[in-house]
Amino acid sequence: MMTSCGLLTAQNKPVPLKSIEVELEVRDHVATVVSILNYKNKEDKPLEAVFIFPLPGDAAVCHFSAKIGQTQIVAEVKEKQKAREEYDDALSSGQQAFLLEESDQSPDIFSLSVGSLPPGESASIRLEYVAELAVQADDGLRFCLPAVLNPRYQPRGGLSSVGLVPYSLSFSARVSSPRPISKVESNCSLDPLQYLNTDQTQATVKLAAGHKFDRDVELLIYYKDAHQPTAVVEAGQASAEPGSLMGDPVVMVSLYPEFPQSAMSSCGEFVFLMDRSGSMSNTRIRSAKDTLLLLLKSLPKGCCFNIYSFGSRYEHIFPKSVEYSQQTMEEALNTVEQMEANLGETEILEPLKHIYNQPCIPNQPRQLFVFTDGEVRNTKEVIDLVKKNSDSHRCFSFGIGEGASSALINGMAKEGGGHAQFITGTDRMQPKVMQSLRFALQPTVVDISVTWDLPKEVSVTVLSPPITALFQGQRSLIYSQLSGQSSEAAEGCVTVKYSLAGHPSENQLHFSLRPAEDTGLTVHRLGARTLIRSLEMEEREHRGQQVGGVKEKVVHLSVQTGVSSSFTAFISVNKDNSEVIQGPLVCRNVPTPCEFLPKAKLKVSHSSEAKMISALCAHRHLPSCSQCDDHAFNTSASCHDWTLDVQLLFHLCTFSPPAAVHEHLSRDPLLQLVSLQEASGCWLLDPALATALGKTSKEVKKSKPEKVGFLWATVLALIWLHAFKMDAKDEWELLAMKAASWLRAQNAPCESECVDAGNILLGSSVKKEALGL
């Protein structure tokens, strides 16, 4: 289920966008985002419009204002029902009014009713929010500006072209951290990074001129010494009451531990839950199937596994999790290869309930991997279910594409003590998923405790819920309110203790209690958001019971801090405008450029061309034809005789084929090799292996040293991986470790001779030690 975004009429059609201005302020691991979106009603009648805005799941909306013509209106937070009534009253009396509220089902979608937009009038909407930045597998912090905010528009009677899209995007970012900034990268062209001081702890960057905003703008920020803990102390608001959350200083402690290398677990129950809704068609389902192949080949001996898939209904390969063996692996792979994106909508709750109702296997810790590319209607209920079962498993979640709900993906991983990953644009799913498998194979961290050592005149109130999970690659932020007075030179200390694989560890961080200058209120607002989310979950857990005023606490905290919640809304009314609106409000269908392109047809005569176009359509998420599963195609009796609207070519010709398209047309040699590996970790000597290595069966057999026996195929496969696929090491490293372990167990005396012969055959120079032998 995709949610349309931007300024829309009641019929879900876009109001023309003139420009977008975005300013990003990043402080260590958190960000403040200011977005200004400018629209214009080009109709001759007033419009009642709704503004839909996608946000990160943990974001805290802290400011909303609007400007209609020369009238500036600033919103304030009020209890939701009271705000709705005030909005309705204002509209009925002809006043301009705006209402911003959180979706009832998903906290990462905000709905803004902008009331009456007079004919010919411009609307400027300013939205400010704060958010925690997600940590990627390579230690980078990720910010994403979604492209769904850029609806195309063309006035009636005109013909659209890419060069005439009448809006602009201005995007700039300022980054600061206690640690030096090593680099900032993006999927879009950037101007060079500008450092603002000699120690390189502050920098600015902006988009290069001419950006078309035809895809999400992704920013990746890297710090030196990424695993070093940090603390940011933020001063309270001068106008706020001392002793209140906004009046006291708040400290944010960032923990991103790097654990010592320990033996990977050789046991566990691995449950994979794959989205097979209609939006997963073509390249996405192919990538998902390739990912399941890698996962199944990389599982350790002695574990158990099962694969579920879901849409409007759900399926599972085995009635219950089975022991990992050659037979069960082959049975699973045969089923996976037949999977299609044909199960309807995205309904994840029922398969989750079924999984959790299965008894856990003794001495096999359950690890749940969830893959989805969409949103669900009951995000909060799903997250609550994961939390309820957090003691019996860890949950690793993956959001595929721009439509994936960050609230769902982040919420499941957070409550399930796992890790969240997002696969967008031309990202490959496989390396991110394999990174999470490494996390899942790490021993569980237990006995986690956080203690504070502060001057006696200072007390601490922890705003964050207790840390329930830690593992390498996971970042934890702890927000705490500091009450009382202290000297400027005073220091605080926070100590984090935990036990990993039976070994106790301790991290201690000393920090100055003096607030940093010019920090704004980012940390305060995120601390408030964290506390609000905890209270909201408590209210849902005890719904229907007599629990003392949890909802009232949320409303009070939300109003006090100016941070949105599920029980409050932003409301603003221009009471100076008493002129009654003349005539009824109308909802106007504002067309997109596609609707103005001619309906001429193009014959696609070759199946390879058709597959390329189909893959491109899937990559661009173009609308499907109502008569078939293929994107924007009408098919005749022969699948090779396809016709294609010119409006579709408009989209296809403006984008280069992504790497995923080429994978769709010819199977990746790496995946060919991986598919031949046995569950034990070895490879068998057969013609398919020779083909994957780029050799003939005759060449492979002729180069085989005497007395090598059945080791030859596995050594060749390992050499090929290390010699020619090091750029994809993240994808094959675990299965290569399993292969090396198998070779060592054979205790063969001729490994060196075998490696030398393999290098000669493949034209490489890989050392025996590099193979783990």
Side-chain angles (χ1 to χ4, degrees):
M1 181 180 69
M2 285 287 292
T3 301
S4 299
C5 295
L7 190 62
L8 310 170
T9 67
Q11 294 180 337
N12 210 35
K13 299 300 181 181
V15 174
L17 174 68
K18 294 170 58 181
S19 64
I20 304 176
E21 304 165 44
V22 178
E23 293 183 2
L24 172 67
E25 179 88 15
V26 178
R27 295 187 182 276
D28 204 18
H29 282 254
V30 298
T32 299
V33 184
V34 178
S35 298
I36 300 175
L37 297 100
N38 300 303
Y39 297 90
K40 186 171 184 178
N41 177 12
K42 296 188 176 181
E43 304 295 330
D44 56 6
K45 296 180 180 180
L47 295 176
E48 181 175 10
V50 177
F51 180 64
I52 306 294
F53 196 88
L55 294 171
D58 290 330
V61 175
C62 50
H63 175 88
F64 161 66
S65 61
K67 187 175 183 181
I68 303 294
Q70 300 302 313
T71 304
Q72 182 76 30
I73 305 173
V74 179
E76 58 181 316
V77 177
K78 294 187 178 181
E79 192 275 328
K80 182 175 286 188
Q81 186 57 37
K82 182 179 179 181
R84 287 174 175 173
E85 293 172 358
E86 189 173 332
Y87 171 76
D88 291 340
D89 290 343
L91 278 191
S92 64
S93 61
Q95 296 169 337
Q96 292 171 331
F98 298 81
L99 182 71
L100 176 68
E101 59 187 335
E102 188 176 297
S103 164
D104 289 334
Q105 296 300 325
S106 184
D108 61 349
I109 297 294
F110 279 78
S111 171
L112 166 67
S113 300
V114 299
S116 170
L117 185 58
E121 194 67 273
S122 296
S124 178
I125 296 170
R126 186 181 191 273
L127 190 71
E128 180 178 342
Y129 66 90
V130 289
E132 299 176 358
L133 297 182
V135 181
Q136 304 303 290
D138 62 355
D139 299 335
L141 298 178
R142 178 180 181 269
F143 168 78
C144 181
L145 179 66
V148 292
L149 292 173
N150 63 339
R152 304 289 204 268
Y153 171 78
Q154 178 67 31
R156 284 174 290 182
L159 182 65
S160 174
S161 70
V162 175
L164 297 178
V165 174
Y167 66 84
S168 61
L169 169 65
S170 169
F171 177 83
S172 62
R174 180 187 175 102
V175 184
S176 62
S177 171
R179 295 155 294 185
I181 303 157
S182 59
K183 60 180 177 179
V184 176
E185 296 180 343
S186 176
N187 61 333
C188 306
S189 297
L190 298 174
D191 286 345
L193 186 68
Q194 301 289 326
Y195 288 106
L196 303 180
N197 54 6
T198 55
D199 58 6
Q200 298 186 343
T201 58
Q202 298 182 33
T204 60
V205 70
K206 61 181 180 179
L207 278 178
H211 179 71
K212 297 295 184 184
F213 205 13
D214 52 11
R215 58 191 179 277
D216 290 1
V217 176
E218 184 181 66
L219 211 63
L220 294 171
I221 301 163
Y222 298 85
Y223 299 131
K224 295 179 181 177
D225 303 319
H227 292 276
Q228 177 184 334
T230 59
V232 174
V233 180
E234 185 175 83
Q237 195 172 25
S239 59
E241 181 183 350
S244 67
L245 175 56
M246 297 304 286
D248 283 343
V250 171
V251 59
M252 178 185 71
V253 176
S254 170
L255 299 173
Y256 186 42
E258 186 171 27
F259 301 138
Q261 289 294 326
S262 57
M264 292 289 186
S265 173
S266 60
C267 63
E269 179 196 8
F270 296 88
V271 181
F272 306 110
L273 179 57
M274 182 63 67
D275 189 342
R276 284 174 56 195
S277 59
S279 57
M280 283 287 292
S281 60
N282 293 307
T283 54
R284 289 186 179 182
I285 194 66
R286 179 72 262 172
S287 181
K289 289 156 71 169
D290 291 345
T291 299
L292 286 174
L293 166 66
L294 277 171
L295 283 167
L296 288 174
K297 296 293 183 177
S298 301
L299 290 180
K301 294 185 296 182
C303 75
C304 297
F305 78 101
N306 202 354
I307 299 175
Y308 287 70
S309 53
F310 70 94
S312 300
R313 57 186 174 87
Y314 67 90
E315 300 175 355
H316 43 76
I317 294 181
F318 305 106
K320 61 180 181 179
S321 294
V322 297
E323 185 177 350
Y324 180 66
S325 66
Q326 184 66 25
Q327 179 182 345
T328 56
M329 183 190 74
E330 287 182 353
E331 184 177 347
L333 285 174
N334 289 336
T335 304
V336 167
E337 189 56 36
Q338 303 304 314
M339 284 183 176
E340 299 295 339
N342 57 0
L343 294 186
E345 297 184 357
T346 307
E347 301 289 348
I348 196 173
L349 189 63
E350 291 307 313
L352 275 180
K353 288 180 179 178
H354 187 273
I355 291 169
Y356 292 141
N357 285 335
Q358 303 302 306
C360 291
I361 302 171
N363 301 316
Q364 298 276 24
R366 179 173 288 170
Q367 316 282 355
L368 174 64
F369 285 64
V370 180
F371 304 83
T372 182
D373 73 338
E375 303 170 356
V376 296
R377 291 185 290 268
N378 49 1
T379 298
K380 295 175 182 178
E381 193 175 353
V382 170
I383 293 172
D384 288 350
L385 181 64
V386 174
K387 181 183 180 182
K388 181 180 178 181
N389 292 275
S390 60
D391 291 341
S392 63
H393 82 301
R394 283 194 291 185
C395 181
F396 298 85
S397 52
F398 305 88
I400 305 168
E402 285 75 14
S405 166
S406 60
L408 178 69
I409 301 305
N410 287 324
M412 292 183 71
K414 183 175 182 179
E415 298 303 334
H419 191 71
Q421 300 267 24
F422 289 87
I423 300 103
T424 60
T426 57
D427 287 351
R428 283 178 59 84
M429 185 186 304
Q430 292 85 347
K432 295 192 174 185
V433 174
M434 299 310 294
Q435 178 71 59
S436 290
L437 180 59
R438 291 186 191 89
F439 296 159
L441 290 170
Q442 293 176 11
T444 303
V445 174
V446 296
D447 300 329
I448 303 170
S449 68
V450 179
T451 57
W452 299 82
D453 183 12
L454 300 170
K456 62 180 181 179
E457 63 272 14
V458 178
S459 61
V460 62
T461 302
V462 180
L463 307 173
S464 305
I467 298 175
T468 57
L470 277 176
F471 53 88
Q472 186 157 327
Q474 185 182 40
R475 185 272 320 274
S476 297
L477 297 178
I478 304 172
Y479 301 95
S480 297
Q481 178 181 345
L482 302 176
S483 302
Q485 298 294 322
S486 62
S487 64
E488 289 191 357
E491 276 197 347
C493 177
V494 60
T495 302
V496 181
K497 296 181 180 180
Y498 54 85
S499 180
L500 176 66
H503 301 287
S505 296
E506 178 177 310
N507 287 326
Q508 196 170 77
L509 173 64
H510 293 268
F511 58 92
S512 171
L513 292 179
R514 182 180 182 182
E517 296 179 1
D518 189 30
T519 57
L521 293 168
T522 304
V523 175
H524 279 74
R525 287 164 174 159
L526 282 170
R529 180 60 152 183
T530 299
L531 183 55
I532 286 171
R533 282 285 182 247
S534 297
L535 290 170
E536 287 173 338
M537 183 163 287
E538 180 183 343
E539 194 273 341
R540 291 195 300 273
E541 289 176 347
H542 300 93
R543 189 165 292 167
Q545 304 176 24
Q546 296 299 321
V547 180
V550 175
K551 178 178 178 180
E552 288 73 16
K553 290 179 184 177
V554 172
V555 172
H556 175 75
L557 186 61
S558 178
V559 172
Q560 175 200 356
T561 61
V563 171
S564 59
S565 75
S566 58
F567 303 127
T568 54
F570 280 91
I571 174 70
S572 62
V573 177
N574 177 19
K575 298 180 180 179
D576 294 333
N577 179 16
S578 57
E579 181 179 350
V580 177
I581 296 174
Q582 299 298 316
L585 292 172
V586 298
C587 294
R588 182 65 64 202
N589 182 342
V590 182
T592 63
C594 294
E595 299 174 42
F596 292 98
L597 289 167
K599 295 292 184 179
K601 300 291 183 180
L602 173 73
K603 179 77 73 175
V604 182
S605 58
H606 299 291
S607 61
S608 61
E609 294 171 0
K611 286 182 178 179
M612 173 66 80
I613 294 171
S614 179
L616 280 166
C617 290
H619 178 68
R620 295 307 311 161
H621 315 308
L622 298 181
S624 298
C625 170
S626 59
Q627 279 76 41
C628 64
D629 291 333
D630 294 296
H631 289 264
F633 286 110
N634 293 317
T635 60
S636 64
S638 169
C639 65
H640 294 176
D641 187 22
W642 291 7
T643 57
L644 177 66
D645 286 348
V646 171
Q647 67 177 26
L648 183 59
L649 281 182
F650 168 82
H651 288 277
L652 302 185
C653 295
T654 56
F655 303 104
S656 300
V661 172
H662 300 293
E663 290 178 16
H664 184 79
L665 300 182
S666 61
R667 195 69 180 272
D668 187 334
L670 170 61
L671 295 176
Q672 291 181 26
L673 183 73
V674 168
S675 67
L676 300 172
Q677 189 185 30
E678 301 284 292
S680 64
C682 72
W683 275 267
L684 302 179
L685 194 61
D686 62 22
L689 176 66
T691 301
L693 298 174
K695 301 294 179 183
T696 64
S697 295
K698 184 177 181 180
E699 288 174 319
V700 171
K701 291 179 180 178
K702 184 178 179 181
S703 301
K704 175 184 171 185
E706 294 183 11
K707 302 180 182 179
V708 167
F710 52 85
L711 301 182
W712 180 231
T714 304
V715 171
L716 282 179
L718 281 179
I719 292 174
W720 186 87
L721 289 172
H722 283 83
F724 305 111
K725 287 295 177 180
M726 284 302 290
D727 59 332
K729 185 179 179 181
D730 286 346
E731 301 179 34
W732 54 257
E733 186 175 28
L734 289 178
L735 61 89
M737 289 170 59
K738 187 163 67 168
S741 177
W742 179 86
L743 283 171
R744 291 193 300 270
Q746 310 312 308
N747 200 26
C750 51
E751 286 179 348
S752 297
E753 181 183 358
C754 199
V755 172
D756 291 341
N759 277 319
I760 293 173
L761 172 64
L762 298 176
S764 56
S765 56
V766 178
K767 301 293 184 183
K768 172 185 170 181
E769 293 74 21
L771 303 179
L773 304 178

